[in-house]
Amino acid sequence: MKLYYTPGACSLSPHIILRETGLDFSLTKVDLKSKLTENGDDFLKINPKGQVPALMLDNNVILTEGLAVVLYLADQKLDRNLVAPAGSLERYHQIEWLNYIASEIHQNFGVFSPTSAAPESYRSTIRSKLLTKFTYLDSILAKREYIAGDHFTVADAYLFTTCGWTPRINLDLSQLSYLNAYIQKIKQRPHVHDALKTEGII
Ligand SMILES: N[C@@H](CCC(=O)N[C@@H](CS)C(=O)NCC(=O)O)C(=O)O
């Protein structure tokens, strides 16, 4: 399998999950501005949406959308407990978290992208909105070790990835002590550390 990624982008989440599963994979870097891969290939021919993550399966089929990609990967190695088995209520709760992170957290970062023309007043509104949502997540993490329960899942890889974007938009989360302890704990996982190192983030 091959993961098309951009350092520090939302593709970090499936990158972490690939490592956590132990599946064999390679990485190809994408420049999101030029839409070229590090090999000079036109990324729009690989994923016409022009977005990472994109996962190329061994039969050359492309799977996109972070939520679908991490679920697919975790399902390949169910024994790693990165997602609960199909049909279990636990799995639907994990999907509930993935969707919350995608729609309520991730999407709100869009106004801070380099191509966004959003005025500072709007950015400020979104910053406050994000603070409210991260405060809610902090209250969940006050009650349990990981966002969906007592062990690391696909939802943690995604949440951890989005937390990494907050300094870039000047969103101060230092008062959210449970969230901060959680970020440190996830960062110390060997596979997370390796993913961050490979992407040049640490
Ligand atoms: N709906 C997509 C969104 C992916 C996304 O926002 N990717 C960003 C990087 S974090 C990207 O590729 N941005 C470049 C662009 O939209 O042109 C998903 O959930 O995977």
Side-chain angles (χ1 to χ4, degrees):
M1 272 184 280
K2 186 195 289 185
L3 178 70
Y4 290 90
Y5 82 106
T6 298
C10 49
S11 44
L12 175 63
S13 163
H15 181 185
I16 289 170
I17 295 303
L18 272 164
R19 290 180 184 273
E20 293 278 350
T21 57
L23 289 161
D24 195 25
F25 72 97
S26 64
L27 293 168
T28 297
K29 203 189 289 189
V30 178
D31 180 335
L32 289 173
K33 266 197 212 123
S34 66
K35 306 291 180 196
L36 291 174
T37 73
E38 61 185 315
N39 308 318
D41 295 328
D42 180 359
F43 182 57
L44 290 170
K45 290 203 175 122
I46 296 157
N47 178 12
K49 290 184 269 193
Q51 293 179 314
V52 292
L55 183 73
M56 186 182 274
L57 308 183
D58 292 340
N59 58 4
N60 288 343
V61 168
I62 292 282
L63 183 65
T64 64
E65 299 300 313
L67 191 154
V69 172
V70 293
L71 287 174
Y72 173 82
L73 292 172
D75 277 342
Q76 306 311 303
K77 293 275 178 178
L78 272 179
D79 59 318
R80 302 286 168 117
N81 266 334
L82 297 163
V83 71
S88 63
L89 182 59
E90 195 187 350
R91 185 182 178 96
Y92 295 107
H93 280 307
Q94 290 162 353
I95 295 172
E96 186 180 355
W97 280 115
L98 284 173
N99 193 61
Y100 183 82
I101 299 158
S103 57
E104 305 295 329
I105 305 282
H106 181 169
Q107 280 314 303
N108 275 312
F109 281 89
V111 300
F112 300 96
S113 81
T115 53
S116 164
E120 181 48 37
S121 58
Y122 185 58
R123 289 172 191 232
S124 178
T125 306
I126 296 297
R127 241 182 241 111
S128 309
K129 204 171 158 187
L130 276 167
L131 181 58
T132 304
K133 289 171 195 291
F134 277 115
T135 303
Y136 165 64
L137 292 168
D138 186 67
S139 76
I140 299 295
L141 291 165
K143 294 178 284 195
R144 52 193 190 218
E145 286 286 301
Y146 295 91
I147 200 62
D150 63 1
H151 65 276
F152 180 89
T153 67
V154 285
D156 295 298
Y158 196 10
L159 176 56
F160 172 79
T161 296
T162 62
C163 289
W165 304 336
T166 57
R168 225 184 293 158
I169 67 159
N170 295 322
L171 177 60
D172 180 14
L173 300 180
S174 57
Q175 74 278 28
L176 304 181
S177 57
Y178 296 103
L179 185 70
N180 282 306
Y182 166 83
I183 293 167
Q184 292 314 316
K185 181 172 56 195
I186 305 284
K187 207 182 263 180
Q188 278 159 23
R189 292 180 72 82
H191 292 305
V192 173
H193 181 270
D194 289 350
L196 292 170
K197 206 157 178 217
T198 304
E199 295 200 11
I201 297 163
I202 52 168

